[in-house]
Amino acid sequence: MTYLNTLNNIKTKKIRVGRGIGSGKGKTSGRGVKGQKSRSGVAIKSFEGGQMPLYRRLPKRGFNSLNKDSIAVINLGDLQKLIDTKKISAELKINIDTFKKSKLFKKSIHKFKVLSNGDFKSKIDIEADYSSKTAKEKIEKAGGQITIKNQSK
C-alpha cells in the first residue's frame, strides 16, 4: 500500500497558481490579501521561516568602552636601546612627558607600564604608572630607582 502511495506522490502534477478562480488557486494565488508578503520579489530581511535567525543565534561579542585608559607598555630592553641611542637621557628623571616629547608615545596615551623583557644596565630614575615586580627588581639592581604614581600602600 505504501508503494502505491509513493507512486501517486511522484505523479501528482504541479499546482499552477493564478489560473482562474475555478482552479482553487486563482486570483491571489494562495498569498492571502494585500500586505508585504503578498507582493512578488519581497523578502523580509533576516527572516528564516520562523527558525531562530542567525543574528540572534550567535552570542554578543565585545564591548568598546568610551572612556577606557590608553596604557602604553615599554620593556626594559627597549628602554636600554633608547638610552644607548641617546633618544632619552639617563641623567634626567624619565616620565610620560619624556616619552611624549621624544615622540615615542602618542598624545592620547595617559599612562604607561614598565615590563622586564630584555637586558638592562643603566642607572635611571623613572616615574611610571605601573610596573612588574621583575622590572622593579632589575632597575634597582642596576642602581636606579622607580616610583609608581598613585600607588595605594
Side-chain angles (χ1 to χ4, degrees):
M1 197 75 171
T2 55
Y3 177 72
L4 289 173
N5 286 343
T6 54
L7 278 178
N8 288 341
N9 288 342
I10 291 168
K11 292 184 179 183
T12 51
K13 290 184 178 179
K14 186 182 153 221
I15 297 168
R16 297 177 70 217
V17 294
R19 298 294 187 275
I21 294 168
S23 69
K25 289 285 182 195
K27 195 182 169 222
T28 54
S29 306
R31 288 176 175 263
V33 193
K34 298 184 182 177
Q36 184 182 15
K37 288 184 174 181
S38 71
R39 312 289 190 243
S40 68
V42 177
I44 296 171
K45 187 182 176 191
S46 75
F47 183 70
E48 298 182 22
Q51 175 176 297
M52 185 62 70
L54 182 69
Y55 74 93
R56 287 185 62 196
R57 273 181 275 162
L58 298 174
K60 292 186 202 175
R61 293 277 299 165
F63 172 76
N64 294 323
S65 177
L66 294 172
N67 54 358
K68 79 175 176 189
D69 286 336
S70 301
I71 300 172
V73 175
I74 190 155
N75 287 311
L76 286 178
D78 299 332
L79 198 60
Q80 185 63 51
K81 283 179 189 173
L82 292 171
I83 292 167
D84 292 342
T85 57
K86 306 236 189 297
K87 289 189 178 182
I88 291 177
S89 174
E91 288 81 42
L92 299 172
K93 188 168 191 170
I94 299 169
N95 56 17
I96 196 153
D97 295 327
T98 312
F99 291 113
K100 284 184 180 180
K101 283 176 187 170
S102 57
K103 295 186 179 176
L104 296 166
F105 288 172
K106 293 178 183 176
K107 289 180 183 177
S108 61
I109 289 170
H110 301 296
K111 294 181 179 182
F112 80 100
K113 182 173 184 172
V114 181
L115 298 178
S116 66
N117 288 3
D119 295 323
F120 189 74
K121 55 188 178 286
S122 297
K123 182 182 176 183
I124 59 165
D125 183 16
I126 188 165
E127 183 183 25
D129 295 287
Y130 308 102
S131 170
S132 66
K133 287 179 184 176
T134 49
K136 190 173 181 178
E137 288 168 8
K138 278 187 178 182
I139 290 169
E140 288 169 354
K141 188 178 177 184
Q145 69 175 39
I146 183 166
T147 52
I148 285 122
K149 292 192 279 185
N150 302 329
Q151 193 176 28
S152 56
K153 280 190 179 181

